[in-house]
């Protein structure tokens, strides 16, 4: 059982699913000190997970350890996708750091080899990869190319989308809230929430088609053409919407007909997390014009990329020089190569499908008859549990989600929440998560669900 500090039991209502600075005095002395130092040096823009923040000192596989040696089951972190401190990644980075770490202005066999192997995981239409350091940069570059190739400026996103932190990309990331105004060229459509919209006009597809038509018409009314529709293929920050597969088709047809492109943001679902193929968009049977990838790509070493249909880069490449000092450097590529190798050799995509499927079906049984669990949904190791005040109104219950997230944290199981009201539990473990790890998670969730009764 947990011997972790149990100081705070009741979750904060002031800040759903995060630490409320007004409650600093309730924390253990040592943590108060660390948070004050953190505020002093990092300033006020940063946030901390959980009502009782965690100090983590070590990670291994799917386990994180705090300063007192307590172990936490990591059901949240997708960046260490092949597991925390994977020996293959450590060795690859160590070897490469000792040998050479330089940039893409030199010919390097390892970059060529990795690029070819990476591109081979995509549909044949996607033929060029450009490296960046972060997902934000990849989306920034993707949108820059989309605008250049189409000659248009308009951008369509879903209402809870997050695509990154640059000035441009944050202007089409509505999940950042009212403090970050959307660009005048940005139009928002509903998240593909089958639970709440499917019955509106007979089908989710129809609803989304109407939404995107209206967005395009409004852009045109303002003299703005469509450059791109960009979507996270699993709609993570929107609330994890995995199906019904194929629902993206009508949106993309409309966007293409208006002269725009479809950018698949695979920063979250990519590298096999959704358990069926390498990329989340493949579940929908579509081929994007541009794909962006990041987070899990280097297991924590900063490396990300944008992948393009080659025809989009012909004019752009002729007229615009691309250089990214750190993007695709030798060490980043060594880490990325190790990640690709481990995903294949340890059959992690198959594991995501098998163990993720087990979690989804056991959570469905657990929540059967619970008025506050509207839906368990997901694919592979990307799972959402939609909490509501009651099933009749489907009114999102972010407070219940925060209670569960914080009570699991006290039981040393780490998850988070997403969705417009923070009401969707988000389960997204490192990919070597085993069947017995799933058993521990389910046991913890069963206990947390009893508080909902
Ligand atoms: N796209 C999505 C869907 C993301 O979730 C994120 C990060 N949370 C990004 C882009 C931005 O990636 P980064 O933080 O590496 O810039």
């Amino acid at each position: 059982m947990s011997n972790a500090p149990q100081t705070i039991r009741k979750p904060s209502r002031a800040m759903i699913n995060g630490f409320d600075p007004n409650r600093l005095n309730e924390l253990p002395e040592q943590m108060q000190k660390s948070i004050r130092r953190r505020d002093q040096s990092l300033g006020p823009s940063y946030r901390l997970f959980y009502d009782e923040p965690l100090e983590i000192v070590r990670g291994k596989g799917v386990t994180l350890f705090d300063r007192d040696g307590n172990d936490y089951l990591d059901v949240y972190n997708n960046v260490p996708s092949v597991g925390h401190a994977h020996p293959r990644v450590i060795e690859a980075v160590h070897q490469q750091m000792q040998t050479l770490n330089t940039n893409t202005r030199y010919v390097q066999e390892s970059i060529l080899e990795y690029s070819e192997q990476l591109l081979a995981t995509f549909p044949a239409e996607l033929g060029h990869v450009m490296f960046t350091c972060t997902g934000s940069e990849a989306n920034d570059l993707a949108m820059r190319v989309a605008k250049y190739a189409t000659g248009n400026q308009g951008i369509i996103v879903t209402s809870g989308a997050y695509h990154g932190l640059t000035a441009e990309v944050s202007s089409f990331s509505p999940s950042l809230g009212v403090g970050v105004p959307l660009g005048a060229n940005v139009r928002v459509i509903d998240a593909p929430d089958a639970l709440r919209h499917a019955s509106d006009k007979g089908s989710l597809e129809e609803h989304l088609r109407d939404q995107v038509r209206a967005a395009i018409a409004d852009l045109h009314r303002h003299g703005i053409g469509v450059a791109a529709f960009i979507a996270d293929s699993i709609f993570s920050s929107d609330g994890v919407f995995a199906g019904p597969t194929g629902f993206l088709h009508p949106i993309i047809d409309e966007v293409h007909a208006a002269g725009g492109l479809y950018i698949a943001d695979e920063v979250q679902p990519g590298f096999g997390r959704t358990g069926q193929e390498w990329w989340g968009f493949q579940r929908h049977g579509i081929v994007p014009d541009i794909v962006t990838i990041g987070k899990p790509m280097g297991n924590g070493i900063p490396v990300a990329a944008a992948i393009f249909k080659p025809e989009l880069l012909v004019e752009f490449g002729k007229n615009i020089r691309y250089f990214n000092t750190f993007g695709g450097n030798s060490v980043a590529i060594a880490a990325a190569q190790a990640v690709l190798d481990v995903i294949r050799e340890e059959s992690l995509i198959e594991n995501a499908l098998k163990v993720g499927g087990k979690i989804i079906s056991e959570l469905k049984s657990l929540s059967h008859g619970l008025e506050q669990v509207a839906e368990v949904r997901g694919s592979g190791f990307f799972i959402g549990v939609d909490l509501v005040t009651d099933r009749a109104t489907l009114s999102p219950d972010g407070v219940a989600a925060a209670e569960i997230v914080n009570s699991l944290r006290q039981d040393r199981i780490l998850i988070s929440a997403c969705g417009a009201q923070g009401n969707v539990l988000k389960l997204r473990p490192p990919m070597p998560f085993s069947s017995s790890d799933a058993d521990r998670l389910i046991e913890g969730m069963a206990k947390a669900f009893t508080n909902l009764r």
Side-chain angles (χ1 to χ4, degrees):
M1 267 324 286
S2 169
N3 49 359
Q6 301 263 329
T7 357
I8 294 181
R9 290 210 159 267
K10 264 317 221 189
S12 157
R13 296 193 177 226
M15 184 178 278
I16 302 276
N17 192 29
F19 170 64
D20 175 0
N22 294 319
R23 301 182 69 177
L24 183 64
N25 292 338
E26 297 173 40
L27 296 175
E29 197 81 6
Q30 175 65 39
M31 183 58 82
Q32 287 191 36
K33 238 164 111 184
S34 298
I35 292 176
R36 286 202 182 93
R37 278 177 64 202
R38 189 174 186 271
D39 291 346
Q40 195 68 40
S41 50
L42 305 189
S45 269
Y46 285 83
R47 304 290 184 269
L48 284 163
F49 286 139
Y50 306 116
D51 275 347
E52 183 177 355
L54 265 177
E55 183 177 354
I56 292 297
V57 297
R58 193 162 66 83
K60 184 76 192 152
V62 301
T63 310
L64 290 168
F65 298 89
D66 69 14
R67 157 200 284 272
D68 299 320
N70 297 304
D71 62 295
Y72 295 79
L73 182 66
D74 186 354
V75 197
Y76 178 70
N77 286 293
N78 59 341
V79 172
S81 60
V82 299
H84 294 275
H86 195 291
R88 284 285 295 278
V89 182
I90 296 169
E91 183 56 23
V93 167
H94 180 74
Q95 284 293 337
Q96 190 60 50
M97 199 71 196
Q98 283 187 320
T99 313
L100 174 73
N101 191 15
T102 187
N103 64 62
T104 47
R105 272 194 175 138
Y106 299 99
V107 176
Q108 291 179 69
E109 174 64 24
S110 59
I111 298 179
L112 306 182
E113 183 61 35
Y114 177 73
S115 302
E116 287 161 6
Q117 286 191 26
L118 179 72
L119 288 170
T121 66
F122 286 93
E125 293 91 330
L126 291 153
H128 290 325
V129 52
M130 291 170 75
F131 293 103
T132 63
C133 304
T134 67
S136 302
E137 259 186 295
N139 282 331
D140 197 283
L141 176 64
M143 201 53 81
R144 196 172 155 207
V145 170
K147 287 180 175 176
Y148 196 90
T150 62
N152 295 331
Q153 296 295 313
I155 299 171
I156 300 172
V157 291
T158 51
S159 57
Y162 179 76
H163 295 293
L165 53 66
T166 68
E168 162 80 353
V169 178
S170 61
S171 84
F172 58 86
S173 292
S175 72
L176 290 169
V178 287
V180 183
L182 294 176
N185 58 332
V186 176
R187 295 295 178 277
V188 170
I189 63 170
D190 282 342
D193 185 340
L195 194 63
R196 295 177 178 84
H197 298 310
S199 56
D200 287 7
K201 288 187 179 158
S203 80
L204 180 66
E205 281 90 345
E206 259 180 68
H207 180 73
L208 294 173
R209 191 190 292 277
D210 288 349
Q211 291 258 306
V212 80
R213 276 185 181 154
I216 292 168
D218 194 52
L219 282 169
H220 286 164
R221 239 190 325 276
H222 288 82
I224 304 170
V226 185
F229 166 67
I230 179 167
D232 167 353
S233 312
I234 195 74
F235 298 89
S236 172
S237 58
D238 276 298
V240 186
F241 296 107
T245 52
F247 67 69
L248 281 167
H249 280 271
I251 302 179
I252 291 153
D253 289 348
E254 295 293 329
V255 167
H256 278 158
L261 303 178
Y262 161 45
I263 302 172
D265 182 335
E266 289 282 335
V267 168
Q268 294 249 6
F271 290 94
R273 171 160 294 280
T274 54
Q276 286 163 22
E277 315 207 46
W278 280 90
W279 310 106
F281 64 79
Q282 290 174 302
R283 296 180 56 251
H284 290 278
I286 40 181
V287 179
D289 300 294
I290 306 175
V291 180
T292 54
I293 62 179
K295 284 183 187 287
M297 187 170 173
N299 217 47
I301 296 290
V303 57
I307 292 102
F308 300 89
K309 287 185 173 170
E311 57 268 32
L312 297 176
L313 291 179
V314 175
E315 283 305 304
F316 187 89
K318 221 186 282 173
N319 299 320
I320 297 174
R321 172 168 53 85
Y322 179 74
F323 177 61
N324 190 319
T325 302
F326 300 118
N329 72 53
S330 330
V331 168
I333 294 294
Q337 181 68 60
V339 168
L340 268 196
D341 294 344
V342 172
I343 291 174
R344 289 197 192 102
E345 288 164 23
E346 296 185 9
S347 305
L348 293 181
I349 302 182
E350 294 80 352
N351 190 58
L353 187 62
K354 191 177 96 201
V355 180
K358 165 179 159 147
I359 297 171
I360 292 171
S361 83
E362 295 199 6
L363 284 179
K364 280 185 175 165
S365 324
L366 259 189
S367 59
H368 190 74
L370 282 183
E371 185 65 10
Q372 278 172 278
V373 181
E375 191 171 55
V376 176
R377 54 183 179 246
S379 182
F381 280 146
F382 225 121
I383 301 166
V385 181
D386 195 323
L387 300 179
V388 293
T389 52
D390 60 275
R391 288 199 199 195
T393 62
L394 294 176
S395 175
D397 193 344
V399 173
E403 282 179 3
I404 289 184
V405 167
N406 284 294
S407 82
L408 283 169
R409 175 253 177 271
Q410 293 301 341
D411 284 339
R412 306 197 329 272
I413 296 173
L414 305 180
I415 69 163
S416 186
C418 57
Q421 316 282 330
N423 63 302
V424 180
L425 302 178
K426 181 163 71 169
L427 281 61
R428 196 190 49 179
M431 304 241 294
F433 204 78
S434 69
S435 188
S436 60
D437 297 323
D439 292 340
R440 181 173 165 203
L441 166 67
I442 297 298
E443 199 184 313
M445 295 287 290
K447 186 175 158 204
F449 278 173
T450 56
N451 298 332
L452 290 175
R453 282 172 211 274

